Each structure stands twice: as C-alpha cells, then as structure tokens.
Amino acid sequence: MKIGVDYYPEHWDENMWEQDALLMKKTGVKTVRLAEFAWCRIEPREGKFDFAWLDRAVDMFEKNGIDVILCTPTNCPPLWLYEKYPNAVRTSPDGGHIAIGIRGHRCYNDPDFVRLSHRVIDKMTKHYARRKSVAAWQIDNELESNICACEVCTKRYRKWLKAKYGTLDELNRRYGNIMWSGEFSDWEQIKPPTDKYNRAWLNPAYVLDHQRFASDDMIGYVKSQAEIIRRNCPNVPVTTNCWFCENMPDLHKTFKELDFTAYDNYPPLRIPQNDEAYYSHAFHLDFMRGVKQDNFVIMEQLSGAMGSWAPMSRTTQPGMIKGYSLQAFAHGANEVIHFRWRTAVKGAEMHWHGLIDHSNVPGRRFGEFEDLCKTAETLTEITDTKLKSDVAVIYSYDSDLALKIQPQTDGFYYYDQLKAWHDGFSHCGVNVDIISENADFSKYKVVCAPALYVCSEETAARLNDFEKNGGTLILTCRSAVKDKDNGCYMRQLPAMFNETAGCKVREYDPIGYDRIDICDDGGNKWQCTNWCDIIECTSAKPILTYDGNFYKGLPAGTVNDFGGGKCFYIGTVLFKNHYRELAKRILKACNIGIIENLPERVEVSVRENEKKSVYFIFNNSEEKCVFTFKEEVLSLAPFEMKIISRDKC
Amino acid sequence: MKIGVDYYPEHWDENMWEQDALLMKKTGVKTVRLAEFAWCRIEPREGKFDFAWLDRAVDMFEKNGIDVILCTPTNCPPLWLYEKYPNAVRTSPDGGHIAIGIRGHRCYNDPDFVRLSHRVIDKMTKHYARRKSVAAWQIDNELESNICACEVCTKRYRKWLKAKYGTLDELNRRYGNIMWSGEFSDWEQIKPPTDKYNRAWLNPAYVLDHQRFASDDMIGYVKSQAEIIRRNCPNVPVTTNCWFCENMPDLHKTFKELDFTAYDNYPPLRIPQNDEAYYSHAFHLDFMRGVKQDNFVIMEQLSGAMGSWAPMSRTTQPGMIKGYSLQAFAHGANEVIHFRWRTAVKGAEMHWHGLIDHSNVPGRRFGEFEDLCKTAETLTEITDTKLKSDVAVIYSYDSDLALKIQPQTDGFYYYDQLKAWHDGFSHCGVNVDIISENADFSKYKVVCAPALYVCSEETAARLNDFEKNGGTLILTCRSAVKDKDNGCYMRQLPAMFNETAGCKVREYDPIGYDRIDICDDGGNKWQCTNWCDIIECTSAKPILTYDGNFYKGLPAGTVNDFGGGKCFYIGTVLFKNHYRELAKRILKACNIGIIENLPERVEVSVRENEKKSVYFIFNNSEEKCVFTFKEEVLSLAPFEMKIISRDKC
Amino acid sequence: MKIGVDYYPEHWDENMWEQDALLMKKTGVKTVRLAEFAWCRIEPREGKFDFAWLDRAVDMFEKNGIDVILCTPTNCPPLWLYEKYPNAVRTSPDGGHIAIGIRGHRCYNDPDFVRLSHRVIDKMTKHYARRKSVAAWQIDNELESNICACEVCTKRYRKWLKAKYGTLDELNRRYGNIMWSGEFSDWEQIKPPTDKYNRAWLNPAYVLDHQRFASDDMIGYVKSQAEIIRRNCPNVPVTTNCWFCENMPDLHKTFKELDFTAYDNYPPLRIPQNDEAYYSHAFHLDFMRGVKQDNFVIMEQLSGAMGSWAPMSRTTQPGMIKGYSLQAFAHGANEVIHFRWRTAVKGAEMHWHGLIDHSNVPGRRFGEFEDLCKTAETLTEITDTKLKSDVAVIYSYDSDLALKIQPQTDGFYYYDQLKAWHDGFSHCGVNVDIISENADFSKYKVVCAPALYVCSEETAARLNDFEKNGGTLILTCRSAVKDKDNGCYMRQLPAMFNETAGCKVREYDPIGYDRIDICDDGGNKWQCTNWCDIIECTSAKPILTYDGNFYKGLPAGTVNDFGGGKCFYIGTVLFKNHYRELAKRILKACNIGIIENLPERVEVSVRENEKKSVYFIFNNSEEKCVFTFKEEVLSLAPFEMKIISRDKC
C-alpha cells in the first residue's frame, strides 16, 4: 500500500529540494503530486513555455525512486491570461466577472481559455510522455459544476435544453412554466439561473435542469482534457481529485470518463460530543469507493490543523495521521497522498498545515507519518483485495440536488438520511456499499433507498424487481415524490412502491425540529423527528406506531412481504440508536452475519480476495477501547487500527 | 356565508376541469377565483389574445352554479413582454434590473408596461362584461408599494415632493437636511432611497416620505386599473388582495379606492409554547375589518402545510381548516376563499398545500373543508350582521413606517404594542376595532393609541377632544415623539398630551431585553421590559411604580381625570397578563360589560343587526376546553367554533 | 481642566443660539466644537462662500468667553459637488460608486474633490486666521483608511508598491505569489483588494500591504489639510478626531503629523455581567495617550443613550456623565468635549442623545454635566501633570491588521490579548502605557508584547536588547510568527526570541473555545483557552503546565533569566484573574510597588509633575464600594471618582 505527499517545488528555494527528496525517500514516501497550480511558471508569458524547473524537480524524485503524479495546471491560469482575455473569467449573474485572486475563476467554455489550456496540456503531456516515473495525471483541481452566465455558456445551456426537449412547448409543459406566467415563447428568454439567492424562488424543475447541465458541462471539460492526456500519454491513468463541494458535479458520470476515483479527505478535527452529529469518515470513504465500485486513491489527506481564511481548526491528535490513513485503506483506498509535505510560509493557505511545520523541523506529526509509511510498506498483501458487501445504500444525484433546491422540513438533510442507515448497518460490523441508483442491485441482499425523492419509473421498476426476486428493500419518507422532471407524481406516496411496500401515505406532517413519541411492535418507546408520514396499511404490517399528535396510534413504519422479498417503509426520521436496532433486525432477517455489541465509534470492515480476508478494526475515538473481536481480546489506543489477516479455508 | 376556492384551470389538463367543478358543486363551493397569473395564456404573443380557454373554464363553473372572481393578470407579465421591453422590469438601486423568474417584477410606471397592462385589462373586462357569474374583479395580486429606481419613477418621486413642499428650501428645512451637509441644491440631486441596506443610515424624514410616495404611487396604479374595470363592468365590485408584506402600502388609502377589503390569511402553523409570542389571528382579522370599517372577504385562506423556497411548515391540525374559516366570519369576513383547490404538482409552490394533495385523493383536510361548506350554508342569518365595539385601538401607518425606519430599542415592535392591548381587551370578551388615526373616535368609549410615534397636531387635538368629551384615552411610551415630518417635537413627552395625561416624561431608559420590577397601586408585583419612561406627575396619579434601577420608586404608569374623561399613560412595556389586568380595570371603569374568567386562547366576538346578536365562541387551542358561557356549559374541541344566535328583545 | 461641548448652530433656529451660549457660560463650558459638517452652508453654491452665519455663531461664543474648535468640513461635501463631479464619490470594488446620503463618501484622491476641499479649507482658515477664540482646528471627522478602487487610487497604489518593491520579481517573491499561480507579470494586473468579502481569500501579504497603503494615503490627505491650516493659522494647533473604526489607519503615524491626539469616547452602555467581557475604558484611554505618548483631548464624549440606525442603547446611569469624563482626565485627557449639547430633532442621529433632550428642558444628565463642569474648574493643578509608568504593553499596527486578515483560532482577538495584560497590571494599581513597537523601551521596567504576530528582525533585536539590559520582557503565543512581508518565519517559535525566552514551541493546538486545565508552579489549578503552544524548555523553567489533552504535563508558560533580564513566555490564553496573578508576580519580581486587594472594577491611576502626585481612584461599577486606599477608608458611590493630591516631599 502506498503513501505519498503533495509537494510544491515552486514554493521553495531550489536548494531545499534535495533534502526534501532525501527525507521522503528515507521516510518511505512512494509518490509526490506536482504542478497543480504552476501554470504561471510553466508558461510565464503567452506561448513561452518553461519545463526546465519542473524537469529538475521530477529528476530529483526519480533519482530517489519516487514516482510523480502530474497535474494539468488549468485551475489557476496565469494573470496575463486573465488580463489579455478578460472573458476567461467566469461571468457572474449580474453580467460582470467574478472577483479573481483566489483560484478556479476560469470559465470552462471561454474559447480563449479553452485554446490556451488545451495548448499547455498538450505541451506538458508531450513533454512528460516518456517519463517512466509519471504514475498518473490529475486533471485540474477540485472541479465544480460550471456556474457561469457568459454568452458562450448561455448558448451551450440553451443548446443542451433544445437537445433534451426539442420544443419550447415540451419544455414549458414538463417544467410547468405556466405557473406565474413563466412560459418561454422564445429560446432567447432562457438564461442560466446562476444567482443562488434568486434561484431559491425559481421553478425547481428549471433549477435542477441547470445543475444537471452544469455538471454535464464540467464533464465535457474533463473529457476534453482526458483526450489530450491519453493521446500523448496513452499508458498513464487519468483522474481528477474531488470532494463534497457546493456545486458538486455528478461524480458517477464524471469518473466514468476517468481511470480511477481520487478524493480529497479532510475529516473535521473537532470531535463532536453529540453522537447525533453525523460526520462519518467511513460514509464518505464508502461513497468514494462506490463511485466506480472499485478501490480508489486519496489525493489529499489531512496532515494537521486546517485554516486559512477561517480561524484554524484543532490540530490532529496523536493517532489521527496514521489512523485516518489506514481507515482509508480499510474502506478501499490503495494509496493515500498527504496534503502537504511542508506547511506553506507564504500565500493564503499558510495556516493549512502540512506534515512538517513552517520551521522545517519535523515534529510529532511527522513522526507519526514515518510510522504510517513503515506500516504501509508491510501491507503489500492487501493491495489486491477489495470490499464486498451484502448491503447497499443508494445515493441519487438527482435527489441530492432536488432536496437542496427544495428543503422539505427543518433539520431534514439528504446526506443525513443516508448516513443514518449507513451508520446503522456499519454498527453491525458489515461492509456497506454506497451505490448509484443506476448500479446493479442483484448482488445485494439489502438495498436501502433513503429519501429517494426524485425517482424515475425505471428505477422504481428495478427496485421493485429486486424485491420481488427475494431482496430486502428499505424505503423511507420522501421517496418517489418526484419524477425526473422534478414535478410531483399525482399518486399517493410512495407512488410506484404502493404495492411493494403494501401501504399508502394518507397525509404527512412536516414537524421540523419537533419530536414525537413512537413505539415499535415490541413495545419499545422511541422518538422521531422532522417528518411524519401517516400511513395506511394495505397489506403491510406496522412495525412503528405514533404515540402522539393527531395521528397517535397510526403506523409510522411498516414491513411487507411481497413477491419473494420484503419491503420496509419507514415514514419518519429516527435517532441513531433506532436505526441501529432496525439495521440489526433487518440483517438478522436476511441471515447476514453481524457483530454484536460493537463498541460505539469502533469500525470494522473487511477486504478480501480469493485467498484471504483482511479485517480492519478501527478505534475512531479519543478513548482507549478494549473489547472482544472474534474471540480475541483487542485493546485499541485512540485512533488505532488493528489489521487481522485470515486465510480463507 | 360563502366558501370559495382559488383555482388555476391553466395548471391542469382540461379533462380534469369537469370533475373538479362537479366535486366543488357537491361540496358546496360558491365561488372560484381565476386567472390571477394567466397573462401568458391570455396574450401568448403581443397583441394576440386568447380567452377561449378561460371561457370554457368559466362556462364549466357557471354550468355548476359557481360564481367566479376574475383577476387582472398584471402581476406576472409574459416573458415576451420583459424581453421586448426590458424597462418593464423594476430597476434596482444600482441602476440594473431586478432578477426575474418569480413574480411581481414589473415597474408600475414603465410606459410600455402601463400601455400593455391597460390593454389586456380592457380586453379582458370587455370580454367578461356581460357574464353574470362574475362576482367581483381582483386587481393584480398582493400589491406592494412601488420600490423602483428607474428614471420614470425617479421623476414621479420628484414631482410628488415638489407638489408637497413647493421649494427645496422648505423641503430642506422640514427634513433637517443640514445634518451631514445633506441639503439639496437642485431637484435632480434627489434619488429614491430604494436600497434597503443603505436606507438604514439615511435621514428618517427622507425615507418615510419615500415610503409614503411609494404607497401613493401603488395606489395610483390601483386606481388606473379600477377605472378600466368600472368603465367596462360598472356593476361588478372591485378589490385587490392584501397581506402584511414588507413594503406594505397604506391599506386605508388603498381600499378607499375599492369596493371591499380582501385579505390573504395564512396563520402560522407552529403553535408557540410561549404565550408572549403575540401572533394573533383575531388581531389581523380585526385590522382588516377596520380598513374600511366594514365586513370583508378572505381571498386566500390557509389549507395545509406551507412551503416552497423555505422548508415546509407543519400541516393544519384537525379543526383548523374549519375553525380558522369560521373565525374569519366571527371577525367580519362574509366569504372565505381557500388557497387552493389542489396542490400544484409543478412550479415553485408545489409544497404550498391546497385542500387536495398531489395525489388528487381527497383526504382528511378535504373532509374538514366539506364539513365547513355544510356549516357555512346554514349561516345565512349572519350575512347581514356586523361587529360593533366600544373599544378601538389605533393603527397609524406613519408610526408603523417610522418605527421600522428607526427601531427604538431591542425587542420593541409597533405591532406588538397594538397586539398587547388588543389581546388585553379581547381576553375580556369584548369586540375590538382596529382603526386608523383618521377614523371617527366619537362612537367609542375607549380609544387606545399605543406607541403613536408619529402624531400630528390634528390627531392629538382630536384625541384630546375625545377625552374631554368623556372618553377614556390610553397612551403609552413613544407616543407623540414625532411630527408629520418625522422630526422630534421639541416638547417634553407625551408632547401635546401633557395636559390630558397630567404627566411629563422626565427622561427615558431604552432597556432593550432587560427586565425591571414594577408594582401597581394595589401592591401587585409585575415586570416590565424594552422601555422605561421616567414620569413626573403633574395632575395624574401613579398606577405603576418602578421597583428597580435608578428610577426605583418613580411612576411607570399613571391615570388622570381631565375634562370629562380619563387618560391612562403607560410609560413602559408589560407582559400579556398585565395588559389583561389593565384592560379589565379600564373596561370596568367605563362600565363596559366583560366576560370574566375567559379561558386562555378562547375568543369571543359578537356580530349583530337590529334583530339579533350572534355570539362566536372559538377555542383557538389544541386542547379541549370546557367552560361556562352565559350560564351555559360549553365544551369545545380543539379549534371548534360555537355560534349562538340570540334574538334581541 | 476643560470641559466643552459639540455644537451645531446650523441645526437650530438662530434665535436659540444666545440662550444656548448663555447657559453654556453659566454651566462652565470652556470650548465648543463647530462646523464639522457645514460645508453646504459655507459654500452653498460652487465658489460662493458664506461665513456670515458662522461668524455670528463664533461671535456669540466669544462674547460669552467660550473658545471654539473649528473643523474643516470635508467629511461631507455638498450635494452639488457630488452631482457635478461624480468621481468625487468613492469607487466600490465593482467599479461603481458607493451609495451616498450618509457621510464620508468622498475619495481622498479625486482631483476635483481635492481642489475644492483645499479651496474651502484655504478660505475658511484665512477667514478665521485672526480669531483669538479659535483654540484648535480639527481636520475632517473620524477618518478611515482610503478604501477606494477608482483609477486615481489604483494608480497611486501601484506607485506605492513600485516605490516599495522596485520590481515585480521582488514583489512576487516577497508576497509568495506563486501560490495559486498568482504572479504578476505586469503592474497593470494589480488592483486594490477593496472587496472585503473577496479579500478574506486573498494572499495575506497582498491584503496587509494594501491596508498599509490605504493608511498612508489617508495620512497624505491629512498632511495636505494640515499644511493649508498651518500656513494660514500658524499658531493654532491642528488635530483630527479618531476612534477604533473598521478601517483604522496607523494612528501613531497619523498623529505624528498633528499637534495633539483627539479621541471620540463612547463606552458601551450595557454593563456586562461577565467579567471576561473585556471592554475597558481605561485601556482605550491609555491607548490614546500612547499615540503621541502625551496628554490628549476627548473630542466627543458620551452624553446619553446612543442609537440612530440601530435600536437605542441604555441611557447613562447616574454618575456616568461625570465619572467617565473624570476617568478620561485620570488617563491623560486634559479636555473633554461632550457630544453633543442638545439632541438633534432632525436627521439620522436624532436618537443619539446629547446632554439636553429634544424638549430642550435640561434634566438629570445635564445636572450631572453642570456638576462635572464645577469639578473640572477646581482641577487646575493637574493640567500640567502627566502619567508615568514602569510598565508598557506594545500595540503593533501590523499585527493588528494581520490578525484581522488571518484569524488564528475561534475566540482569539488581538485587542483582547492586550487588554488581558493591561487589566492584569491595572488591577495592581500601576499606570500602564500602551506604546508602539517603535517606542523607546528603555524607560520601562516591564515590556509586554502580547501576540506580536508580525515582528521585524529590528523590533525583535530591540526587545532582546531591552531584556539583556535588565528589563523584564513578556511574550505570548503567536509572537514573531510573521516577518514584515506577512510571511511565516522558517524558525521554531518564538523565532528570534528562542534564546531570550529559553524555549521552543514544538507544536501548537488551536483549541478555539475549548478549555484545558493547567496548573502553575505553586500548584494552583487554572484553565486556558483558544491556543496551546506545546513548549520545550531549553534554559527556561516552566511556570505553567498543561493538565489535559495529549500535552498533559508539558509546559504552557515559562520564565527565563538571560543577560541581565527576565523573559516570560505564556504560550496560551488565560482568564482575567490569572493575568492578574501573573502581573502581580511579575511586578513584585521587578520591585514595582503595587496596591494589593484593589476591589474589582476600581481603577487607580496617578498623574504627576515635579511637585506633586495626583491619585485618581475610580469606582467603575454600579455598586457602592468601600475600601482602604493608602490607609484612608474611601467610600465611592457608583461611578464616583476620588482625586487625592499629595505633594512630593
């Protein structure tokens, strides 16, 4: 298993490079990522290219046996480019250009930007085409959907709409534009709704479509870069580094164009006292493994206190540097690259800490990193292992966007609905896949589709089939509310699932932060919050019943046997422990082996191949933890990972 | 009494219209409001008019014995209009146009908009002039004061100022523009202060005047529409639907131009635990009755959970659909039109719930609506009754605006001051009128003028006369601070009321959210907040005395006998129960019959004519309530209304 | 000692002037400040000057023996100026002009504004050159650094940068512009970063430099005015009135150009219950004395409730009007001018209360002011006294700016770090100077440099010399992090102080609002917050040790004997009492006499000359306070000041 670092030779006096490379080699660093923001050094004047400095850096790493991942430097064009081609700067909703001076200001579609960025990529990839040490190419940096209101983007948007709808009549009808007299009578009337304040009031169909366009448009930009890279460096894998950003593109579509998934992993550093504060490293890592349903790479990994424009966060506690990297391995990463080797002493990110401090004196964090590198070198046998899972949780990009556009009730967030179930299953010690709604369901025993708000007829049919063929399907409130046009189905909820779930939602009460008592079919008393579906069972049996409000005594959750499978419908939002109880009940009913009594904040996952199973047991807490795992008493220090390999018999 | 619904035929497949109309008829719906936002269907291309679809809808309702209220569709011009005439879009403070795509973006004064809107209204009113089923015309929708910075509006604003002040010298003097060297030396220097962030720092005299202008300007727009409608449909009453909006026009002036008051009634759906959270349906309804001092119509009435851009609210609890409509009758509505028949499945408001859900399956709420319709049909005898009151609370538009422009102290809001007294009197079971400062006071025994911050010499004289002629006048802190120019009187407070109130405010302490102990003349200990006038009695007697701070022992409230009447001066802000105690004391002193021990959240009002008195007793709470009313034991379910008719003997 | 008032004759009918002047005279007012915002009356049309009205006002005061301070009226140009010369209005980041109608909108560099403002100043200073009653000139009003994005300002900014860096290469290198490809390749690419939202993401080196430029630019404007005034009125002292504003200029540099420091003193009126809420009048006054290390003038002093755009504050409690003015004397003011004589009845500030209310009836506050005037007249003997101190706290303008640009951790503010130490020393009853990092340290026994974040090599050397020469130096966390280019030193902290402090910061934990236990070398248990340096002693001894977190047992604070002096290093943030304990320990170690057991919120300072020492003992609290001071039992009412003069023997 490989450990790497992000390194910016251009930030440091060249006479420091050698000592850095030697220390990396000694420490066990296998890869450095380079050149991400270096366009102004690669092309200091228009058309004048300089790779000499970067050659010397690559030479230095090669000499020390360290591979490089090179980046296309297009995230930050040089200032001469913006000066000469002002339209290369993204256009804001009011028609002006956005403020520059930070990063990522370019419009993906501006012809001058496209021409110049393609040229620099072409030059760079040709220049490094024969370098053996180039392990991969990274496209740009932390790309977001294309939110630009310029003429070029506006025309592309209209073209995208024309391709999708054909006629304005069709578009008006499917959007329901008659509302507030908003029917377009000419394509020219259509403008990209890029103003995020105004957007909140617009037709949700219109806004969702623009976000789909903006994602597609970004993917087109990725493809155009990938083509150049592949033409010049046909044997080098290509990726881009993603994160959970504001204008997140469709990651499943994006990485379909790329060779592997790369993720920037910055867990927050203040550990919440409240167990309900759902930040979950494991969820995010499982999500990223699900993007291509394959192992992946961490392109930037937390190394210390974070902060630049904002006040600094806490520093990493002892164990976090090593533990969080091994946790990434546990969930499918095969390489973890730390951001960054040494903390910057200049520029906006000088308080975003690397492994080594400003002083250049390696300290506690670096010591832990050294230890991590040593451990990673011993883990050769897990490189060709993968995670397998009987349980999948569906992530729907459309539902994610649509629920951001139209918040349903106070306190109800799409990711929380997924994390709640992910946590429930994980606490039972089973691997959990986070998959797209377009994935193959047939290899799972349990498929959980929380808040599948936008649900096409096709997806519904595939889920119903999965259940009929013996699978266990879990649905929740706010499932199948919307069709692909982001309009409401004129059906009683859960719409296409009425028969499968064996129930109908008579009406609902969006209770926000209020709490209501409920009890389960075993007589246990719980509480629910946010949303209350009032359910009428047709063939289902109640498993949760409201114990308050005007729907006291009516079902809040049901189970239905239908076809060869089972369908659970949970019409409200519960608290963590209740999801864990439900998950246990469901897994047991499916005869999936679980680990009972896993301590809070201890995580277990399994990677395997034909020959062996490797168990990862991680104490993701600040407290030492002693417990029995597979008849062995384990004592785990804070953030300690125990890796146990067992041959398959 | 009539029940109606808001219906948008253009939102639904035409083959659904008939079943909707039949169900309405069966249910007892008497009126539908139509065509509010349908301009783009009425005039799909400039100058091409299409009433055929609307004719078919009107026919359908006529056929089923249902009257229609038609709306001028000017709130939402078609997109071709904005495209061809961009100046029809309101101008923002920075000189650009506001973002469109929602509703209400038109500038009332743009010549093209005016021409085209007048033409469509002319066509439409001529087209429907001979339709018997047209019960009324609604102008536009939820109109707000004209906040536009375009050239046309700027010129109108200057003209309005010229007409008011004649010369710049007079304007400068009355505004006090010398402050910060702000004297205008040319009319061209005057620009409408439409930037609400910047406005907070401007001369309050200037800002108040602009808001008066903006209200007048909107009223001019209403008049121009009303003229066309009346020319073409001389026998049909004309109104517009109002609500308590951000840029609220002077409603008393507005409805002077119209035939009846129409109000959009959306009580909030989360019932506050805290009794001090003053939302009061009754206050708002009494306010609307006061606008024309006559019965009125609810043009849009709450039907379910609300939400579109915002997270959804709670749903209506059992009893609310029926109870809140009957409550409107109890306070002077003669017709209640529910928004809306069926929840939209497309567009921005699809989570703003109608009577019927997206599924088109009538549910609990619709059942309650059916029950309401049945009840309303039995209430024929109250149509010609009205509310009479001995008690009036004054609402001053100038004070409302001026106190928003200059907040006095943390936690002090004008409406709360009115609601506090309204609640106090209402809790004694008497009808309360909310009247304009220009209303006739002589028919009341008690006139309460809370925080009459801007108070003309004329109004003061009329109130003083009222008191001298035997009336009971109630004044509070922040009364008569400002003259009509929104400058401070150079007099000790309460300025023109010193003699009547028999006291002077020596100084004041704006205590914000702090609380201070006070006690009354009976030795009871209370608390006050927000504001403390430190009072010196000249002829008045103290009834409230501070029991803390550096003014401990000094009067906080007084009563004075003067002329033939009485004047109470309350120089601080109290809590709900204390206003109720004061109201009881004052009503008893005036020999006005009260209902003792009315339970919390039970409301009583009386409509009457020469022959009978009709008592409305409403349990505006979630709890069942049993109590004795006029020697009869009443048991009221949550939100249940009891209506008792008694012949006058 | 002199008491004055701010008076605006132009706000009042001229027939009120005489009664005002007579009452001032009777009350003991010595000075009035005039004409601050009166440009539109002095030059009502371009080039037409009218001093007649101001002459009559000055005559009136002269006649009554009252001196005047005249102001250049440039803060608020007349509206005709903005109308004719729109570029005189400051340019906002988006290229438009800022909204006007308030005050201070002018661009200091616009050629037309400069020409016209210089002309009016020239006319005015010539006109009043021979008036004996003119005691001083005030330039403009509450000046802030020049935040303007116009062409002229942009060019000046580039010129300033060229003068500082010579070449773009040097600038790029020192800024570290390579980060995010931000290297300038042409001076034209440089634009002033005036957008405060965008600014948060920019290179801190770039932002700090612009703020230095903006301060220098404002100082240039001040100098240009001062030159005109001095040319025409060579014997009259010149100042400007400052406060702690958002875009605060370098006050030490500013007042180097002026004859005395003038400060607008508005302590907040709600007294915090929490002792940790560090508002400290004494700190602010000591800061202002430190600006020129000399006595100063309060140009605007609190007189009542404040409020205009915001809700009003509480009113001044009994004792505050007098007590806060005498407190200013205690800390080095020789004159206190109250804002304002009478509360405005028109304009935006009509709720910002003067000594007399709108009613023009003098009340409690005025009574207290009369008492103050009487007392001030008796204090003739202290006019030629000054404060001397053994203890200095360093204020660094660069650190102040840099820490605002890059907040370090939640809850950590630069001024709080200074105030904490100032409070600690003050509580021991010693005078404390707040001095610039460029001041002479040699006259102090203790120099405390909290959070000296930006610290030049020169300043470090001077501080190290101070310590070596026997001084006691106090350093804290976040000292010497940055060089003058606002880049990080590549050294272990506290960088150039490693030897002096005898310790190194191994790493740090920005703990934000968290708290961690610590204990001192006497075994006392304390708590710390915000920031934790983890210290390695080289020659120092620990005096504070962490008792929690992963650095439990490691030093949090140290003391080192080095050369002839001592250096304390406190690597964390403590609570008020702990700073008091540390201050006591340090003062005792330095043999500086302290007052033990000074009650909470009682302040003592000493002014002296060769002949006598004058003790000021101030009860800055709402409670009566009895205690023994120098063997005398003092009983102080709330906000009472006791002044005790002792001859030196």
Side-chain angles (χ1 to χ4, degrees), chain A residues 183 453 507-509 549, chain B residues 41 314 346 351 353 364:
Chain A
E183 296 191 323
Y453 184 63
E507 69 169 325
Y508 45 70
D509 192 7
N549 225 309
Chain B
R41 287 280 170 93
R314 299 279 313 247
K346 304 263 186 186
H351 290 326
H353 288 70
R364 176 186 63 86

Side-chain angles (χ1 to χ4, degrees), chain A residues 84-285:
Chain A
K84 183 162 175 194
Y85 308 104
N87 286 333
V89 181
R90 201 170 295 163
T91 297
S92 55
D94 64 5
H97 289 297
I98 62 167
I100 68 163
I102 310 160
R103 64 189 201 203
H105 321 95
R106 72 269 177 257
C107 166
Y108 301 141
N109 295 319
D110 174 67
D112 293 307
F113 171 72
V114 169
R115 177 173 54 82
L116 292 167
S117 63
H118 284 183
R119 183 172 70 177
V120 73
I121 300 168
D122 187 55
K123 294 271 183 198
M124 191 175 176
T125 49
K126 278 180 178 149
H127 187 89
Y128 291 103
R130 273 168 304 259
R131 284 273 190 169
K132 289 274 164 51
S133 64
V134 178
W137 281 93
Q138 173 189 306
I139 291 173
D140 208 287
N141 174 62
E142 295 184 349
L143 285 158
E144 305 206 12
S145 291
N146 175 39
I147 306 297
C148 179
C150 79
E151 269 311 295
V152 181
C153 289
T154 301
K155 280 183 184 147
R156 288 176 67 90
Y157 177 43
R158 290 177 190 149
K159 198 175 154 192
W160 186 93
L161 290 172
K162 261 182 229 178
K164 179 165 182 181
Y165 296 101
T167 65
L168 278 180
D169 280 352
E170 175 71 3
L171 184 152
N172 283 328
R173 190 187 61 77
R174 283 171 59 186
Y175 280 7
N177 274 340
I178 178 56
M179 172 83 182
W180 297 342
S181 244
E183 296 191 323
F184 297 116
S185 49
D186 192 303
W187 291 98
E188 298 294 308
Q189 289 158 10
I190 300 180
K191 301 210 169 75
T194 61
D195 177 345
K196 70 175 168 179
Y197 302 104
N198 190 49
R199 205 162 60 186
W201 300 72
L202 298 179
N203 188 336
Y206 186 41
V207 179
L208 176 60
D209 244 8
H210 181 260
Q211 298 193 347
R212 286 168 173 148
F213 158 77
S215 172
D216 283 358
D217 215 35
M218 187 216 84
I219 292 167
Y221 170 74
V222 166
K223 281 173 70 173
S224 78
Q225 288 214 11
E227 276 165 26
I228 298 169
I229 298 168
R230 286 177 174 141
R231 190 168 62 229
N232 294 329
C233 307
N235 301 315
V236 183
V238 183
T239 190
T240 190
N241 59 331
C242 72
W243 65 299
F244 291 89
C245 57
E246 189 179 358
N247 295 304
M248 195 167 90
D250 184 332
L251 295 179
H252 295 83
K253 263 192 178 182
T254 306
F255 282 98
K256 206 167 278 174
E257 308 299 332
L258 298 168
D259 297 307
F260 62 90
T261 301
Y263 171 52
D264 293 353
N265 187 30
Y266 292 105
L269 278 160
R270 175 160 280 108
I271 294 171
Q273 299 303 306
N274 174 8
D275 277 344
E276 295 301 326
Y278 275 125
Y279 184 82
S280 163
H281 315 65
F283 171 82
H284 291 91
L285 295 165

